[in-house]
Amino acid sequence: MMSNSFVKMHGGEEAKRFFVLGDRVERRLRISGTWLNIFDVTVPSGSRTPKHAHASPEVFRILEGSLTIWRLTDNGPEEIEASAGDIVTIPPFMVHGYANRGTSPAVFSAVVDLEMAEFIEAEGATEPPKTSPSTETIARMTAAANAYGITILAA
């Protein structure tokens, strides 16, 4: 019989929380010595992430609400309307982005690599934004993303 590992946040311990271009991103798991990281992402109504690409794959599992995920596949652009329970994979180097076109927040878990986790933790704000991201904020995040192997194509 195969053994399963179970990871639980310690009693009272809060997840590390960051804000990236308006989305709330909470680290749920980092396994030391591996690339594996899991974040829960809350996307407010009307929020989106710019189209971007990176060398690592990603896996999104929608927990609440719905999310429109855009991917540029070998067959051309593709839009996926993902809702609670759906799992979407993003292969390495695939241009992709997402938007919450609904009226309530969308929440998803994202499995990401070490570079993406380091980008989120180094560049994410510790306080929620009071306004939509400014042109300067987007330009700063775009430049910072490049240092972590993330290419932002359209803000």
Side-chain angles (χ1 to χ4, degrees), residues 74-131:
D74 292 339
N75 298 322
E78 168 184 83
E79 264 193 15
I80 300 165
E81 292 297 330
S83 57
D86 290 341
I87 297 173
V88 178
T89 60
I90 309 293
F93 301 107
M94 178 177 277
V95 176
H96 63 285
Y98 61 77
N100 179 356
R101 296 179 179 159
T103 57
S104 60
V107 180
F108 68 96
S109 282
V111 178
V112 301
D113 78 343
L114 185 58
E115 281 189 315
M116 181 65 74
E118 288 175 345
F119 167 71
I120 290 166
E121 294 178 1
E123 302 301 329
T126 55
E127 296 294 323
K130 294 179 178 27
T131 62

Side-chain angles (χ1 to χ4, degrees), residues 13-107:
E13 183 180 330
E14 282 194 40
K16 285 253 190 183
R17 183 175 295 154
F18 307 91
F19 295 87
V20 179
L21 298 179
D23 294 352
R24 184 178 73 213
V25 184
E26 297 174 286
R27 184 177 69 206
R28 295 296 179 186
L29 176 68
R30 170 175 282 164
I31 298 180
S32 298
T34 74
W35 65 271
L36 183 63
N37 296 269
I38 299 175
F39 288 86
D40 283 350
V41 182
T42 301
V43 184
S45 176
S47 185
R48 65 179 182 84
T49 191
K51 292 176 181 163
H52 62 283
H54 38 78
S56 64
E58 289 181 301
V59 178
F60 299 158
R61 181 169 187 265
I62 311 303
L63 302 174
E64 297 175 24
S66 62
L67 206 57
T68 302
I69 300 171
W70 184 90
R71 306 186 303 185
L72 183 57
T73 70
D74 292 339
N75 298 322
E78 168 184 83
E79 264 193 15
I80 300 165
E81 292 297 330
S83 57
D86 290 341
I87 297 173
V88 178
T89 60
I90 309 293
F93 301 107
M94 178 177 277
V95 176
H96 63 285
Y98 61 77
N100 179 356
R101 296 179 179 159
T103 57
S104 60
V107 180

Side-chain angles (χ1 to χ4, degrees), residues 21 131-143 155:
L21 298 179
T131 62
S132 295
S134 67
T135 303
E136 294 80 20
T137 298
I138 292 171
R140 181 183 60 76
M141 292 298 276
T142 298

